[in-house]
Amino acid sequence: MWADSREALSGLQLGECERVLDVGCGTGELTRVLREETDGTVVGLDADTDLLAAAGDPTVCGDATRLPFADDSFDLVVCQALLINLPAPEVAVREFARVATDRVAAIEPNNAAVTVESTVDDEPVLARRARRLFLDGVRTDVTLGSDAADVFRDAELAVVSTTQYDQEQRIEPPYDDAAIQAARRKATGTGLAHDRETILNGEATPAEYDALRERWRSMGRDVIEQMQDEAYERRETVPFFVTVGEVP
């Protein structure tokens, strides 16, 4: 992410920041980008200490809804793909605003608008169906990205801007290990097996899930066959929305 362009981050005004907090930083994917874009200090925060070990110092273990910092500790507080996983995202945004002096930003996807193009004809159709069934079983708003501005307003922030950034993930020859492993997971149905409980939390029946997984495995075998001929190509586009708000 952000390998092709960082223009959508311009509203964060990173060049003017002395202290930045990346909430829910995980292994530091966004943290590293922020550190490259500012001369200030970027602190990563996450509740998982194992993930923090890869994020690089300085990091702090903490809860996004109860930040372990005093009021006005940072110029900017930002998160990426965090609010979609929270049952009450406005609670976290209020906490962001409490510890920020200037700006709050959220980089969140609309997972319902993901598109897949593939040289295997069945893959886009099955990907859409699997995604719809999965999202139906998720209890948080994983489509929040395009509506994050409403969450900011609920948290009493003034929305400055919302910018769309489309992340593209491509698979094409020569295939790396990650692409090969992804194909194997399709052929074995491992990925769908991992999502089974969530899918069945929605309206899908066990019979519908089993039928989908069987078609998914068949599609995976077609992917592997095309890969053997170096003919397989896939492009997935995930729309992210960078929402920036000012602290009153």
Side-chain angles (χ1 to χ4, degrees):
M1 187 127 173
W2 307 112
D4 57 343
S5 172
R6 296 180 181 177
E7 183 179 351
L9 297 176
S10 61
L12 277 61
Q13 298 182 353
L14 290 166
E16 302 176 12
C17 295
E18 294 183 3
R19 283 183 59 80
V20 178
L21 177 65
D22 179 12
V23 182
C25 67
T27 57
E29 302 298 329
L30 176 64
T31 315
R32 284 184 281 276
V33 171
L34 298 174
R35 287 171 179 162
E36 291 172 2
E37 295 296 319
T38 179
D39 293 329
T41 299
V42 179
V43 179
L45 178 140
D46 202 277
D48 191 324
T49 54
D50 291 336
L51 296 179
L52 282 177
D57 292 331
T59 57
V60 175
C61 183
D63 184 336
T65 62
R66 294 187 298 274
L67 296 174
F69 302 104
D71 294 358
D72 304 328
S73 294
F74 298 91
D75 303 309
L76 167 70
V77 178
V78 61
C79 68
Q80 178 171 289
L82 171 71
L83 301 183
I84 59 169
N85 295 306
L86 301 179
E90 68 280 359
V91 174
V93 174
R94 286 182 185 275
E95 267 293 271
F96 297 178
R98 179 184 67 79
V99 303
T101 60
D102 187 11
R103 293 196 164 199
V104 169
I107 304 165
E108 300 289 333
N110 178 355
N111 285 310
V114 175
T115 60
V116 173
E117 301 173 45
S118 173
T119 53
V120 174
D121 292 340
D122 277 350
E123 187 167 15
V125 175
L126 293 177
R128 282 196 301 272
R129 177 157 178 75
R131 185 176 305 105
R132 184 182 65 79
L133 294 178
F134 180 84
L135 296 183
D136 187 48
V138 175
R139 295 300 178 244
T140 59
D141 186 1
V142 292
T143 69
L144 179 142
S146 55
D147 298 321
D150 293 336
V151 177
F152 276 44
R153 294 187 187 99
D154 289 342
E156 300 180 350
L157 289 173
V159 176
V160 175
S161 63
T162 298
T163 307
Q164 183 171 340
Y165 170 80
D166 291 335
Q167 180 197 23
E168 286 194 356
Q169 300 172 329
R170 290 177 176 268
I171 295 177
E172 54 192 9
Y175 308 112
D176 59 19
D177 288 342
I180 294 170
Q181 289 300 321
R184 289 174 178 166
R185 285 171 61 83
K186 289 184 176 76
T188 59
T190 304
L192 277 184
H194 181 269
D195 294 338
R196 183 178 188 275
E197 182 177 352
T198 301
I199 289 174
L200 294 181
N201 277 340
E203 296 182 359
T205 66
E208 288 173 328
Y209 166 82
D210 290 341
L212 173 63
R213 189 173 181 220
E214 186 57 36
R215 288 189 62 190
W216 191 269
R217 293 174 65 188
S218 175
M219 175 266 290
R221 292 191 290 270
D222 290 341
V223 168
I224 290 175
E225 184 176 336
Q226 285 195 12
M227 280 182 135
Q228 290 171 342
D229 295 331
E230 295 194 337
Y232 177 65
E233 294 186 11
R234 181 184 191 274
R235 181 173 69 177
E236 178 176 286
T237 304
V238 184
F240 278 80
F241 295 83
V242 183
T243 303
V244 180
E246 283 186 341
V247 178

